[in-house]
Amino acid sequence: MTNAISIFDTTLRDGTQGEGISLSAEDKIKIALKLDALGVHYIEGGNPGSNGKDIEFFQRAKSLGLSAKLTAFGSTRRKNSLAEQDSSLVRIIESGVPAATLVGKSWDFHVHTALQTTLEENLAMIYDSIAFLKRSGLEAMFDAEHFFDGFKNNPEYALSVLKNAHNAGADWLVLCDTNGGTLPGEIHDIVTRVRQEINAPIGIHTHNDCELAVANTLAAVQAGARQVQGTINGYGERCGNANLCSIIPTLQLKMNYNCVTDQQLQSLTGTARYVSEIANVNMPVGQPYVGNAAFAHKGGIHVSAIMKDSKTYEHISPELVGNKQRILVSELAGQSNIVSKAFELGLDVNANTDKTKDIMNHIKELEHQGYQFEGADASLELLLREAYGESTELFKVESFKMLVDKTNGHMVSEAIVKISVDGQMVYTAAEGNGPVNALDNALRKALVQFYPEIENIHLSDYKVRVIDEKDATAAKVRVLVESSDFDNTWSTVGVSSNVIEASWEALVDSIRYALLGMSKVEPANSESKERLGLVNH
Amino acid sequence: MTNAISIFDTTLRDGTQGEGISLSAEDKIKIALKLDALGVHYIEGGNPGSNGKDIEFFQRAKSLGLSAKLTAFGSTRRKNSLAEQDSSLVRIIESGVPAATLVGKSWDFHVHTALQTTLEENLAMIYDSIAFLKRSGLEAMFDAEHFFDGFKNNPEYALSVLKNAHNAGADWLVLCDTNGGTLPGEIHDIVTRVRQEINAPIGIHTHNDCELAVANTLAAVQAGARQVQGTINGYGERCGNANLCSIIPTLQLKMNYNCVTDQQLQSLTGTARYVSEIANVNMPVGQPYVGNAAFAHKGGIHVSAIMKDSKTYEHISPELVGNKQRILVSELAGQSNIVSKAFELGLDVNANTDKTKDIMNHIKELEHQGYQFEGADASLELLLREAYGESTELFKVESFKMLVDKTNGHMVSEAIVKISVDGQMVYTAAEGNGPVNALDNALRKALVQFYPEIENIHLSDYKVRVIDEKDATAAKVRVLVESSDFDNTWSTVGVSSNVIEASWEALVDSIRYALLGMSKVEPANSESKERLGLVNH
């Protein structure tokens, strides 16, 4: 049978069931365009029967000229009623989509408990609804809800539901592990059984409640399923849906199935990061294939082996999915991490092996003090460039003061900074809604006359970590600051027993780095651009 | 064969290879106590040959009286040298652990490329090192690095490596999918092959680069592996290690294997969240089994079905793993445990159902603002007691000022506080090595004349977390403070866009709580003590 797998993306529908995920019609348009560029075959846009936002999306999406098929989602008709008069079915047809997915019950327990009707009426609801879509000229997918739980509980009925949808003209029978509790072996056996009983195109729709959604999807494909339903980054209700960002590359690179073109596959990382930006959900740093750490190496032994042959600790070449290798510098690392980082920066390491050793020791000493450079590439780069004799000082901090005052419930935070640029002294002050914000405002205010471009820089992330808790309030804190301009993102670090001083250190590094224009050559750029969705694929 | 699975936790070793994860010896002690309470059988504490922090951990861990076996990690001896003279092997033995894990090469490509020695010398390195551990009286686990890649490339050599370690006396042969690129079917076939060739206890160690680490571990167990290596929350290099928080409940609840007791399984969610707090890594909201959204229901149809029977959309009962159901669209969520908390405190809830509803809404509003009471029992208790009409105000804060000044590299932090006790005003100031320390010192100084017992209280933990990173320096921060006296520990929380104000709020709550003598009766103490590792198991 064919090796072509039909990719059905439901990020815009099932994905929005995830906690904290809410997409406007405009967001959905942006994501649909990305999904189309990635090469998915179906884009499920929403449920026109449930809300006006989705109706608006389908209206606007018509003019996008997508190669992917837009599909609408709905339920089978209400019990004891006519499909032709079911408002949600009618809205699906009115939305003008070429294809639709209808969800129906295949677990007898659900028919009794949730639907509270007879097994026969449930069959009729499914038949009538699918037949109505087909009469209306749509491609029809039938989502057999809870199919695997249903099959385990009452195989005859679960199969009769599928046969019924098939007889009504369903183009795809999609088997759903709605509660995400089924194991890969069960999925494989049950899909195999279904294919023996029914000769129809089979799809698979899994959830991640046992952290097995990807494995369950692959097991179904191996048993003959040819449509895969999932979401970008695995967004979805509870623990999420099957993650297409892991399924697509595994099917294509490791199992010889065809999902998208090799070129489209290279846009996977960009797509994943773009969608996470639009959905405003932080991506787990270690997300398989597309995460920022998916090909990041920290252990010293690993790094020295990677230098010899990246195959030693990488299961695929990161470029195949548009990701890239990163070498993290950390206490666990041998010298090789630093050397390769210096190479990245074009610094002449070999000519300076003694100096490299000194730098290595200096960095180890800093890490011992609590610095952590794996999350602060920009600070590390400043450090290395200075060590190799490049001057990176653009302004000198003479002093700063920070005052927080709360009287009668009224909070004030103000910062006073004194800096000099080429011997010219600037003394200024600013307020903020917190001490760090006040310091940031004062520093910018002092520098903007010399470096107007500072207006384009903003802090995009701020993290504080108490390093050594043995001494509670006297403990050291590490501050990580991430800054962005239009094209780039970079991170710096500060450490002190004083959270204000640590924040100040990271702020100053961040702005020095930006003003030195290093961000323009920083290797992470292209990736950051993708993250911010500033490059077109 | 037996259904008992030996759980080998490597959160403290392989877990710290994860990007952004760095644990102090103190952190490791706290986590080890939690892991022991969860009932894991092996706790891999670190690599005494690689850094002093791990040596300190093993020193201190001896006195913890753990039921789990502490294990140290290291590599086989260097090429062309003697095991007895290998400093890293010697340090393992010096660390005094009862068991150790040695990693060795089983992929011929790695022997040539990374190790750059002969296949014979690699076999000798493994044999000598394992034999040395056994002569020294240790239980020895052999981690066959890249075993599956090695087997696919050269099965004879990969098997000879295992046989060699077995002959040297290895107690467990642990098959590692080091690069995380192997698929479940391959894992199952290769483990089956190994068991046909070698009669020895087999372990499995997988990585998540294809989002298949859990499935691969389960496949190995089904093929006969009886030791599972993984980490809490799946922390680890690149995409992480196999996630024990998903593997343990699936093996135990769905596959009839025995890992821990049912009671220990109920501590799984608490353990996962505690470790994420210590590691200061946000847990994905939808993490299977233990995530805050793992049993959260959003869809209207789902919710109405859940109300009829939770089995309709839950694959297990959340209580089995210590998690709970949440209904995102209703106000019901969390109510039960607030009510039971009020009961604990002897507050008359039933007589005040309206008041209870008001409190519930107030707490919901606070949580919406970023407060989190799971980690701040003392703040919750103060809140409830006040709501039920108990007076908890012992002193009134009129105002505070905080000044940080850095001039000529000299840092000064001073705090000025104005409080009143029974109408008597105290106005005083103090210095500190940081702003929070200065505030803490000033507050104690002002109160000690009224409450001499304050001398016995000290801050034992201080955590800062940025809640909402969208707005960088203007983002809100949550401060968690843990305080202790001679026999109790309690936690308080403060939230503000101003880190100083948030810290002040938590400090004041903490001292109010202590002075009210609540710490002597607060039910959560024993639990808190456990959390801080102040009680012996």
Side-chain angles (χ1 to χ4, degrees):
Chain A
M1 76 190 285
T2 171
N3 275 359
I5 303 296
S6 155
I7 303 295
F8 182 105
D9 180 281
T10 181
T11 305
L12 304 182
R13 201 275 303 173
D14 226 4
T16 62
Q17 294 284 331
E19 181 167 6
I21 295 187
S22 160
L23 299 173
S24 67
E26 176 63 28
D27 293 336
K28 287 189 167 194
I29 294 287
K30 288 183 187 165
I31 292 174
L33 288 165
K34 273 280 188 206
L35 292 170
D36 197 47
L38 175 61
V40 306
H41 307 90
Y42 296 89
I43 297 174
E44 187 167 65
N47 183 344
S50 84
N51 65 78
K53 195 167 70 180
D54 289 353
I55 292 174
E56 182 197 343
F57 166 77
F58 284 113
Q59 278 301 331
R60 296 176 55 186
K62 283 176 194 160
S63 56
L64 295 178
L66 302 175
S67 324
K69 263 191 185 169
L70 264 182
T71 77
F73 176 85
S75 303
T76 53
R77 68 158 172 82
R78 284 179 192 67
K79 54 189 174 186
N80 315 314
S81 68
L82 292 171
E84 287 75 359
Q85 292 168 10
D86 188 280
S87 59
S88 101
L89 292 175
V90 170
R91 288 226 188 76
I92 287 175
I93 289 157
E94 287 172 351
S95 72
V97 291
T101 302
L102 294 188
V103 63
K105 301 292 187 188
S106 59
W107 187 4
D108 54 359
F109 159 72
H110 248 269
V111 176
H112 299 311
T113 311
L115 217 50
Q116 300 184 326
T117 186
T118 64
L119 298 179
E120 297 66 31
E121 172 62 7
N122 179 54
L123 292 177
M125 289 160 67
I126 294 164
Y127 189 96
D128 297 351
S129 308
I130 296 284
F132 178 46
L133 286 190
K134 293 307 296 177
R135 279 202 304 282
S136 312
L138 276 70
E139 177 176 354
M141 271 143 287
F142 175 65
D143 266 12
E145 192 187 25
H146 293 104
F147 181 77
F148 298 95
D149 296 311
F151 187 93
K152 286 191 272 182
N153 196 48
N154 183 342
E156 293 67 26
Y157 186 69
L159 286 169
S160 71
V161 165
L162 292 185
K163 288 172 180 160
N164 197 261
H166 184 48
N167 297 338
D171 298 279
W172 289 91
L173 303 178
V174 182
L175 313 183
C176 304
D177 184 31
T178 309
N179 292 5
T182 312
L183 305 178
E186 299 173 313
I187 298 269
H188 189 278
D189 296 347
I190 294 173
V191 172
T192 304
R193 234 336 262 299
V194 167
R195 294 196 54 245
Q196 288 160 356
E197 298 276 340
I198 305 167
N199 179 20
I202 301 298
I204 182 71
H205 176 115
T206 65
H207 283 262
N208 205 36
D209 298 72
C210 297
E211 207 176 330
L212 292 169
V214 169
N216 284 343
T217 299
L218 301 180
V221 169
Q222 286 177 304
R226 285 297 175 268
Q227 176 178 114
V228 165
Q229 297 196 347
T231 62
I232 297 298
N233 301 326
Y235 297 140
E237 185 151 37
R238 301 188 315 273
C239 307
N241 288 55
N243 181 3
L244 290 177
C245 297
S246 296
I247 291 166
I248 294 172
T250 301
L251 284 175
Q252 190 141 331
L253 300 173
K254 293 168 181 280
M255 295 169 72
N256 298 316
Y257 292 100
N258 305 322
C259 307
V260 299
T261 69
D262 292 350
Q263 199 183 0
Q264 287 169 324
L265 189 59
Q266 289 168 22
S267 71
L268 187 69
T269 297
T271 305
R273 295 177 185 185
Y274 181 84
V275 172
S276 81
E277 283 293 323
I278 299 288
N280 200 12
V281 175
N282 289 326
M283 245 171 89
V285 66
Q287 189 173 322
Y289 289 106
V290 298
N292 199 35
F295 300 92
H297 305 281
K298 185 169 175 180
I301 304 157
H302 288 206
V303 172
S304 58
I306 282 282
M307 297 286 101
K308 292 164 186 159
D309 183 338
S310 66
K311 200 161 118 266
T312 51
Y313 287 99
E314 289 179 355
H315 68 115
I316 63 158
S317 159
E319 291 69 26
L320 293 173
V321 292
N323 207 340
K324 70 183 201 352
Q325 179 184 94
R326 285 169 58 232
I327 304 296
L328 306 178
V329 176
S330 88
E331 65 195 323
L332 299 165
Q335 182 161 342
S336 45
N337 300 41
I338 304 287
V339 174
S340 60
K341 183 73 190 175
F343 268 124
E344 248 182 59
L345 303 176
L347 300 171
D348 185 0
V349 184
N350 288 351
N352 293 294
T353 49
D354 289 357
K355 172 168 283 166
T356 307
K357 275 203 174 44
D358 297 346
I359 297 166
M360 188 64 199
N361 296 332
H362 180 47
I363 287 174
K364 278 223 172 301
E365 170 52 31
L366 288 172
E367 284 182 330
H368 187 70
Q369 289 171 31
Y371 285 81
Q372 196 190 67
F373 293 101
E374 67 190 62
D377 281 354
S379 287
L380 178 62
E381 181 169 338
L382 287 168
L383 198 91
L384 288 171
R385 289 190 185 276
E386 280 156 25
Y388 282 96
E390 295 184 18
S391 162
T392 60
E393 187 180 67
L394 295 170
F395 57 91
K396 194 163 176 304
V397 177
E398 304 291 340
S399 72
F400 75 84
K401 287 185 187 51
M402 216 288 305
L403 177 76
V404 176
D405 181 348
K406 186 170 188 178
T407 308
N408 310 327
H410 178 61
M411 223 35 234
V412 180
S413 302
E414 46 193 31
I416 303 160
V417 305
K418 189 176 176 187
I419 62 159
S420 61
V421 180
D422 309 328
Q424 191 179 339
M425 200 69 75
V426 186
Y427 203 9
T428 187
E431 282 194 327
N433 65 350
V436 181
N437 188 224
L439 286 169
D440 187 41
N441 294 340
L443 185 57
R444 288 159 191 288
K445 198 172 158 195
L447 286 168
V448 69
Q449 54 185 300
F450 305 99
Y451 304 102
E453 65 265 40
I454 205 170
E455 300 277 14
N456 304 337
I457 304 163
H458 69 279
L459 267 71
S460 46
D461 195 355
Y462 175 76
K463 279 189 168 33
V464 185
R465 159 90 154 121
V466 177
I467 302 162
D468 171 9
E469 288 148 9
K470 275 185 227 69
D471 198 8
T473 48
K476 275 190 176 176
V477 296
R478 173 170 56 232
V479 168
L480 284 168
V481 156
E482 184 189 82
S483 302
S484 307
D485 61 17
F486 292 127
D487 315 308
N488 309 300
T489 297
W490 59 97
S491 302
T492 54
V493 61
V495 171
S496 166
S497 61
N498 185 321
V499 64
I500 302 301
E501 185 180 34
S503 305
W504 175 256
E505 188 183 352
L507 280 172
V508 169
D509 256 16
S510 171
I511 286 177
R512 276 170 62 221
Y513 182 84
L515 297 183
L516 283 163
M518 291 175 180
S519 60
K520 302 289 173 287
V521 298
E522 215 265 324
N525 288 351
S526 55
E527 170 198 292
S528 316
K529 283 188 194 166
E530 269 177 5
R531 261 193 57 229
L532 297 169
L534 296 173
V535 288
N536 338 329
H537 294 278
Chain B
M1 79 189 285
T2 172
N3 275 0
I5 303 296
S6 156
I7 303 294
F8 182 105
D9 181 279
T10 180
T11 306
L12 304 182
R13 202 275 303 171
D14 227 4
T16 62
Q17 296 276 343
E19 178 165 9
I21 296 190
S22 158
L23 299 173
S24 67
E26 177 64 24
D27 293 335
K28 288 189 167 194
I29 293 286
K30 290 178 182 177
I31 292 173
L33 286 163
K34 269 288 190 205
L35 291 170
D36 198 48
L38 175 62
V40 307
H41 306 89
Y42 295 89
I43 297 174
E44 186 166 66
N47 182 344
S50 86
N51 66 77
K53 199 166 67 179
D54 289 354
I55 292 173
E56 183 197 341
F57 166 76
F58 283 112
Q59 277 301 329
R60 296 177 55 188
K62 282 177 193 159
S63 56
L64 295 178
L66 301 175
S67 321
K69 264 193 188 171
L70 264 182
T71 77
F73 176 85
S75 304
T76 52
R77 68 158 172 82
R78 285 179 191 68
K79 55 189 174 187
N80 316 315
S81 69
L82 292 171
E84 287 74 359
Q85 292 169 8
D86 188 279
S87 60
S88 98
L89 291 174
V90 170
R91 286 225 191 77
I92 288 175
I93 288 156
E94 287 171 350
S95 71
V97 291
T101 302
L102 294 188
V103 62
K105 303 290 188 190
S106 59
W107 187 3
D108 54 358
F109 159 72
H110 248 270
V111 175
H112 298 311
T113 310
L115 216 52
Q116 300 185 326
T117 186
T118 65
L119 298 179
E120 298 64 31
E121 172 62 8
N122 179 53
L123 291 177
M125 289 161 65
I126 293 164
Y127 189 97
D128 297 351
S129 307
I130 296 284
F132 177 48
L133 286 190
K134 293 308 295 177
R135 278 203 303 283
S136 313
L138 276 71
E139 177 177 352
M141 271 143 287
F142 176 64
D143 266 12
E145 191 185 26
H146 293 104
F147 181 77
F148 298 94
D149 296 311
F151 187 93
K152 286 190 274 182
N153 197 48
N154 184 343
E156 293 67 27
Y157 186 70
L159 286 169
S160 71
V161 165
L162 291 184
K163 289 173 179 157
N164 197 262
H166 184 48
N167 297 337
D171 298 280
W172 288 93
L173 304 178
V174 182
L175 313 182
C176 304
D177 184 30
T178 310
N179 292 5
T182 312
L183 304 177
E186 299 173 314
I187 298 268
H188 189 278
D189 296 347
I190 294 173
V191 173
T192 304
R193 216 11 239 299
V194 167
R195 294 196 53 245
Q196 289 161 354
E197 297 276 340
I198 305 167
N199 178 21
I202 301 297
I204 182 71
H205 175 117
T206 65
H207 283 263
N208 204 36
D209 297 73
C210 298
E211 207 175 329
L212 292 169
V214 169
N216 285 342
T217 299
L218 301 180
V221 169
Q222 287 178 304
R226 284 298 175 265
Q227 177 176 114
V228 165
Q229 297 195 347
T231 63
I232 298 297
N233 300 326
Y235 297 139
E237 185 150 36
R238 303 189 313 274
C239 307
N241 288 55
N243 181 4
L244 291 177
C245 297
S246 297
I247 291 166
I248 293 172
T250 301
L251 284 174
Q252 190 139 332
L253 300 174
K254 295 169 179 278
M255 297 169 70
N256 297 316
Y257 291 100
N258 304 322
C259 306
V260 299
T261 68
D262 293 349
Q263 200 182 357
Q264 287 170 325
L265 189 59
Q266 289 167 22
S267 71
L268 187 70
T269 297
T271 304
R273 295 179 185 183
Y274 180 78
V275 172
S276 80
E277 274 299 317
I278 298 288
N280 201 22
V281 175
N282 286 322
M283 245 170 89
V285 66
Q287 190 174 322
Y289 290 105
V290 298
N292 199 35
F295 300 92
H297 305 282
K298 187 171 175 181
I301 305 156
H302 287 209
V303 172
S304 62
I306 281 283
M307 295 287 109
K308 293 165 186 158
D309 184 337
S310 65
K311 201 162 117 269
T312 52
Y313 287 100
E314 289 179 357
H315 68 116
I316 63 159
S317 159
E319 291 70 25
L320 294 173
V321 292
N323 206 342
K324 62 177 201 294
Q325 179 185 96
R326 284 167 58 234
I327 306 296
L328 301 181
V329 293
S330 84
E331 290 308 303
L332 297 169
Q335 175 151 350
S336 52
N337 64 318
I338 299 293
V339 171
S340 64
K341 179 76 182 173
F343 269 122
E344 262 178 43
L345 304 175
L347 301 170
D348 187 358
V349 185
N350 288 350
N352 294 293
T353 49
D354 289 356
K355 173 168 283 165
T356 307
K357 277 206 171 38
D358 297 346
I359 297 166
M360 217 58 60
N361 296 331
H362 180 46
I363 288 172
K364 282 225 159 300
E365 172 53 28
L366 289 172
E367 282 174 340
H368 186 71
Q369 290 171 31
Y371 284 82
Q372 186 201 70
F373 295 102
E374 262 182 16
D377 282 346
S379 287
L380 177 61
E381 182 170 340
L382 287 169
L383 199 91
L384 288 171
R385 289 190 184 276
E386 280 156 23
Y388 282 96
E390 293 186 17
S391 163
T392 60
E393 188 180 66
L394 295 169
F395 56 91
K396 193 161 178 303
V397 176
E398 306 290 341
S399 71
F400 74 83
K401 288 185 184 53
M402 217 287 307
L403 178 76
V404 176
D405 182 347
K406 186 170 188 179
T407 307
N408 311 328
H410 177 61
M411 256 339 271
V412 181
S413 301
E414 46 193 29
I416 303 159
V417 304
K418 188 176 176 188
I419 64 160
S420 61
V421 180
D422 310 329
Q424 191 179 338
M425 199 71 74
V426 186
Y427 202 8
T428 188
E431 282 195 328
N433 65 349
V436 181
N437 188 224
L439 286 168
D440 187 42
N441 294 340
L443 184 57
R444 288 157 190 287
K445 196 173 160 196
L447 286 168
V448 69
Q449 54 185 299
F450 304 99
Y451 304 102
E453 63 266 40
I454 205 171
E455 300 280 12
N456 305 335
I457 304 163
H458 69 279
L459 267 70
S460 48
D461 195 354
Y462 175 77
K463 283 195 187 307
V464 186
R465 169 152 305 173
V466 178
I467 304 164
D468 169 9
E469 288 151 5
K470 273 183 235 79
D471 197 10
T473 48
K476 273 192 177 173
V477 296
R478 174 170 57 231
V479 169
L480 283 169
V481 157
E482 264 169 6
S483 302
S484 307
D485 60 17
F486 292 124
D487 37 30
N488 304 299
T489 296
W490 57 98
S491 305
T492 54
V493 62
V495 171
S496 167
S497 61
N498 183 320
V499 65
I500 302 301
E501 184 180 34
S503 305
W504 174 257
E505 188 183 351
L507 280 173
V508 169
D509 255 16
S510 171
I511 286 174
R512 277 170 61 222
Y513 181 85
L515 298 183
L516 283 163
M518 290 173 180
S519 60
K520 302 289 175 290
V521 299
E522 212 271 314
N525 285 351
S526 55
E527 182 187 297
S528 319
K529 278 157 81 178
E530 204 178 62
R531 278 190 53 231
L532 267 190
L534 297 175
V535 287
N536 332 332
H537 297 275

